[in-house]
Amino acid sequence: MKANVEIRLATIDDLLAMEKVGDALFDNPIKRNRAVEFFNDSRHHLFLAFDGQKVVGMASAFHYVHPDKDPELFMNEVGVLDSWQNQGIGRELVKELWKYAQELGCKDAWIGTEKSNIAAQKCYEASGGKPDDETFILYEFD
């Protein structure tokens, strides 16, 4: 990873930088009201990779509890700007997110990706993740 890239837990103070990068990194332009809601929810987490003041990568997640399980972390998205890919930024974002989740008491974490997304699979395995042997089927509700 480039030495000048800083990875840190995002706060509401990073909103302007997130808005600047917008859908070049996130799936869509940042919606300020949803970002505020995200940051005000203590179960939502976002790590950002910065080159100076510019956001070049992100990893988002939320942790949850269930009556019969210890806290778990669902990693929602990991992204790195195209020109910054293949430098270990995604891997470090995932590692930092998992380390933080453990500090919060999470015993497990999981993330899914498409079979065709080889780059994501390499990132997650390089971060310490192991593919599950069980076949996974995704159902969507519109």
Side-chain angles (χ1 to χ4, degrees):
M1 188 173 75
K2 282 191 168 184
N4 57 338
V5 173
E6 175 194 7
I7 294 176
R8 60 180 161 82
L9 184 63
T11 69
I12 193 72
D13 294 334
D14 297 311
L15 183 53
L16 184 59
M18 291 167 53
E19 289 174 325
K20 284 182 181 177
V21 72
D23 60 0
L25 177 63
F26 293 87
D27 290 339
N28 302 292
I30 300 298
K31 296 179 179 182
R32 184 170 278 266
N33 63 324
R34 295 296 176 219
V36 169
E37 182 180 359
F38 180 95
F39 285 117
N40 284 331
D41 187 327
S42 64
R43 293 189 185 262
H44 287 88
H45 316 289
L46 177 68
F47 273 80
L48 296 173
F50 285 88
D51 176 30
Q53 300 300 310
K54 180 181 178 181
V55 176
V56 299
M58 65 89 175
S60 67
F62 63 88
H63 75 276
Y64 59 98
V65 295
H66 197 268
D68 65 335
K69 296 178 180 81
D70 287 325
E72 295 183 1
L73 183 79
F74 170 68
M75 295 184 191
N76 186 44
E77 290 185 49
V78 179
V80 177
L81 291 176
D82 289 344
S83 61
W84 289 84
Q85 291 180 3
N86 298 311
Q87 297 181 41
I89 296 170
R91 177 183 62 234
E92 293 304 315
L93 283 162
V94 171
K95 284 181 176 180
E96 287 297 319
L97 190 52
W98 174 228
K99 181 177 155 186
Y100 182 70
Q102 290 172 303
E103 292 171 9
L104 295 172
C106 292
K107 304 298 181 195
D108 293 298
W110 57 282
I111 189 168
T113 192
E114 299 82 7
K115 283 187 170 190
S116 62
N117 194 339
I118 304 302
Q121 292 173 48
K122 287 181 180 179
C123 172
Y124 305 147
E125 289 183 30
S127 303
K130 298 174 191 80
D132 192 320
D133 293 333
E134 183 69 31
T135 302
F136 181 84
I137 301 172
L138 176 69
Y139 292 90
E140 294 186 35
F141 296 84
D142 292 325

